[in-house]
Amino acid sequence: MRSIIDVSDLSLDELNELIKTACDIIENPKKYGEICRGKKLATLFFEPSTRTRLSFEAAMYELGGNVIGFSAAGNSSAAKGESVADTAKTVSCYADIIAMRHPKEGAALVAANNASVPVINAGDGGHCHPTQTLADLLTIHREKGGFSNLTIGLCGDLKFGRTVHSLINAMSRYKGNSFVLISPEELKLPSYVKKDVLAKRSIRYRQTTDLEGTMPELDILYMTRVQRERFFNEEDYLRLKDSYILTPKKLTNAKKDLCIMHPLPRVNEISVAIDDDPRACYFKQVLNGKYMRMALMLKLLKEAGTL
Ligand code: CP
């Protein structure tokens, strides 16, 4: 049974196929409105979410299917000590496909190894978040017209930001891209991502603490929130949380066609004064996430022989 744990589980051809399906859904929504009639998505969210859970649910409803699930570990038998493996086996008896978020790295893989229906990782701890990357890819495709020869600045919490790890993994598979990794010293990109992804694929990158100095060269600026929930002590979080705040003044030297992205939720990282700037793409990412989750569920259900 095929599950999606990381974006590298999808080939480049498959990513292109998902983009194509999502674009077709955008153009012809009625064509897809009944396709999942009688099918059920289970959303198992052991950790808070607004966008990911609700966009998965909206996606299944817009495909004509239904949704079951829980939005907090405390509302499930995990609160009584049930394992992720047993939860996955149980939910497989009720649903055709599972989307799961969990605070522990590797939890989605455990679920996939025990479920008898496809499992989609909706975020596992600080590890990865493949469907956010699908949302990001559709946004880049629609805003930039392709995925190659881009200078991508990633700014903020690059240590714990799982969306950053997944996006680097995806964009480093396309030709001619380079990365500028902008973070405080304490929140630099983990060595395993640099070694296993960037170095292995001979991708150009540099690390800096300077956001404004980097601005003129960027085609994409991907801002991220400092992940309070992953810190061991509050003092460090409070010291680092406002390291980077994007304001209109800081965009003075930015390209006219810069694409400003953020997986959201934002706390202070982007001033609301930027929301009306045509370069602000973060709410477009939210909508694109729904289309890509529709495309991904269709693909996995078809491959499982459920559709
Ligand atoms: N981007 C994202 O994963 O948002 P939520 O935590 O609200 O799902």
Side-chain angles (χ1 to χ4, degrees), residues 195-214:
K195 186 165 155 266
D196 298 346
V197 181
L198 295 173
K200 205 170 180 178
R201 295 177 185 161
S202 305
I203 305 297
R204 278 179 299 132
Y205 74 93
R206 68 183 171 84
Q207 301 185 101
T208 178
T209 54
D210 178 16
L211 172 59
E212 276 174 276
T214 304

Side-chain angles (χ1 to χ4, degrees), residues 45 48-53 101 122 129 132 162-163 263-265:
F45 276 63
S49 166
T50 296
R51 275 147 294 275
T52 311
R53 185 172 67 83
R101 172 172 287 189
H129 190 351
Q132 178 62 48
R162 57 193 174 197
T163 62
L264 304 180

